[in-house]
Amino acid sequence: MSIRIADLFCGIGGIAEAVHRRPKPTAIGDVSLPSCSQTNQPVIATAIDIDRSVATLYKSHHGITPRCSTIESLDRVSANASEDLEMWWMSPPCQPYTRRGLQLGSKDSRSLALARLIELIPSAEPRFIGLENVPAFEGSKHHQQLTQTLCNAGYQFREYKICPTELGIPMRRKRYYLLAKQSGNPLPDFDPSNSAQPLQNFIDPASWNDAALHVPSDLLQHYQTAMNIIDASSPNAVTACFTSAYGKSPIKSGSYLHCQKQNLVRRFSPNEIAKLMGFRENFFTSSDLGQRSQYRLIGNSLAVHVVHSLLSILFDE
Ligand SMILES: C[S@@+](CC[C@H](N)C(=O)[O-])C[C@H]1O[C@@H](n2cnc3c(N)ncnc32)[C@H](O)[C@@H]1O
């Protein structure tokens, strides 16, 4: 049986990409394929986002067109009363909770949509719930409301704070995750793997020749000490967290690459960041979105490797 997922605040579909990465069910008698639970195969059944610009890219990679709507205006998550959705995956805007924002939490209008979903949980009772946000979400009023609602509605849940570096990915992006389910065995701890991958594996050599990615010398002179510049050939290089401001703000929005041989500093391309985030190769290549939008969307998205591991915790235990 399929687990039908609602991808809420879908953006470019980090959860859909994690579902895509899962091994396909083993055919009977086929021993060559990796096995996975036949009963809990997740599929993305619906996706919702206020941002119309994600629709074409989402459809081309994940096969469905997201509904364009404000989530706080919905009476229910499903498109109609007969549609059954077993899981809600929620990655609401993090600005109400970030340290760089004003931390207005529930007073920030950008948190209304999450508040609405929390209200809808007791009547909709999805079998599974997942949520991703910045670590500072924990301890916020909405965190308290969500966990209280889950307790009252009889869910068991577990919270995690995970950085992709724990899975060997050379990129920092520590995030808060919550998994909840209505029944079954207690949710286990997250078991990180340690096989570190070098940054080189994620770099596209052709991007060194893309002049649009080169950092102009005047900008470099002005911001060099504040920019996070890493040596592209270092086996221990780890990038900072890429945010939606990458490409717009030169500081605190992600890392830059330095090539000693060419004495060149450049931005990561959107496709390179997407690869670090766990998306398929050349994720943006067929897209007609401008580069600035690509940076914004990938900076807002999910660390797919982490979400993929969390789906295994939820469905394969
Ligand atoms: C943190 S991003 C989530 C990214 C997404 N999960 C991904 O994998 O790319 C938050 C998303 O919520 C959307 N959003 C913000 N406010 C919304 C609202 N009130 N209703 C629906 N979507 C909203 C934004 O357009 C953005 O795509």
Side-chain angles (χ1 to χ4, degrees):
M1 200 191 80
S2 299
I3 301 287
R4 293 166 54 81
I5 302 179
D7 183 357
L8 303 168
F9 311 93
C10 68
I12 54 174
I15 180 78
E17 196 67 4
V19 165
H20 171 79
R21 286 174 68 113
R22 283 174 60 82
K24 302 291 170 272
T26 317
I28 294 169
D30 184 348
V31 286
S32 62
L33 293 171
S35 69
C36 69
S37 166
Q38 302 285 312
T39 48
N40 283 338
Q41 269 312 310
V43 293
I44 304 297
T46 195
I48 308 177
D49 201 289
I50 196 174
D51 181 356
R52 208 174 284 280
S53 78
V54 298
T56 310
L57 187 65
Y58 196 102
K59 165 98 170 112
S60 80
H61 284 313
H62 312 307
I64 59 169
T65 304
R67 284 147 59 197
C68 180
S69 173
T70 54
I71 286 172
E72 59 272 36
S73 67
L74 298 176
D75 287 335
R76 56 167 178 260
V77 166
S78 52
N80 54 63
S82 63
E83 185 184 40
D84 236 358
L85 296 165
E86 285 90 7
M87 178 171 182
W88 290 2
W89 177 270
M90 312 186 279
S91 24
C94 60
Q95 292 89 344
Y97 318 104
T98 45
R99 273 193 244 120
R100 288 184 83 187
L102 293 173
Q103 288 193 300
L104 292 176
S106 53
K107 294 199 185 85
D108 188 318
S109 62
R110 286 168 294 190
S111 70
L112 291 177
L114 176 60
R116 178 70 186 137
L117 291 172
I118 296 172
E119 256 172 32
L120 290 173
I121 289 173
S123 54
E125 291 187 310
R127 268 175 71 200
F128 303 98
I129 293 173
L131 175 131
E132 179 260 7
N133 215 279
V134 288
F137 174 77
E138 197 173 21
S140 67
K141 190 167 166 215
H142 282 141
H143 171 254
Q144 206 191 335
Q145 280 172 354
L146 175 63
T147 51
Q148 192 58 58
T149 301
L150 292 173
C151 286
N152 295 345
Y155 284 83
Q156 56 148 308
F157 65 90
R158 187 148 189 166
E159 299 167 284
Y160 307 85
K161 279 196 190 133
I162 308 171
C163 181
T165 51
E166 294 171 52
L167 292 169
I169 308 300
M171 176 190 70
R172 292 194 183 88
R173 194 178 183 86
K174 191 171 185 180
R175 288 291 182 268
Y176 166 91
Y177 299 90
L178 176 143
L179 295 180
K181 60 179 184 173
Q182 283 179 336
S183 56
N185 297 331
L187 287 159
D189 202 358
F190 178 73
D191 186 15
S193 99
N194 290 323
S195 49
Q197 294 191 54
L199 184 62
Q200 281 291 354
N201 289 2
F202 299 86
I203 293 177
D204 174 11
S207 290
W208 289 107
N209 304 325
D210 183 350
L213 295 175
H214 298 173
V215 179
S217 52
D218 54 336
L219 194 86
L220 199 54
Q221 259 173 10
H222 197 81
Y223 291 107
Q224 190 157 18
T225 50
M227 286 166 79
N228 183 283
I229 302 173
I230 54 182
D231 179 354
S233 61
S234 164
N236 303 319
V238 175
T239 75
C241 178
F242 292 97
T243 75
S244 57
Y246 193 66
K248 192 164 100 175
S249 163
I251 52 171
K252 293 193 177 162
S253 61
S255 295
Y256 293 77
L257 281 168
H258 177 223
C259 173
Q260 272 177 350
K261 255 197 228 153
Q262 298 181 60
N263 192 25
L264 196 70
V265 174
R266 71 163 174 91
R267 290 197 309 271
F268 283 76
S269 71
N271 275 337
E272 287 172 322
I273 301 174
K275 192 172 175 183
L276 278 161
M277 293 279 276
F279 285 77
R280 65 196 79 176
E281 293 268 349
N282 303 318
F283 185 78
F284 288 109
T285 302
S286 60
S287 155
D288 54 8
L289 290 163
Q291 198 179 63
R292 178 71 207 101
S293 298
Q294 296 176 15
Y295 282 132
R296 176 177 57 78
L297 292 167
I298 196 64
N300 270 336
S301 194
L302 300 172
V304 174
H305 306 93
V306 175
V307 178
H308 178 261
S309 300
L310 291 173
L311 290 182
S312 300
I313 285 183
L314 207 49
F315 299 134
D316 301 339
E317 287 295 320

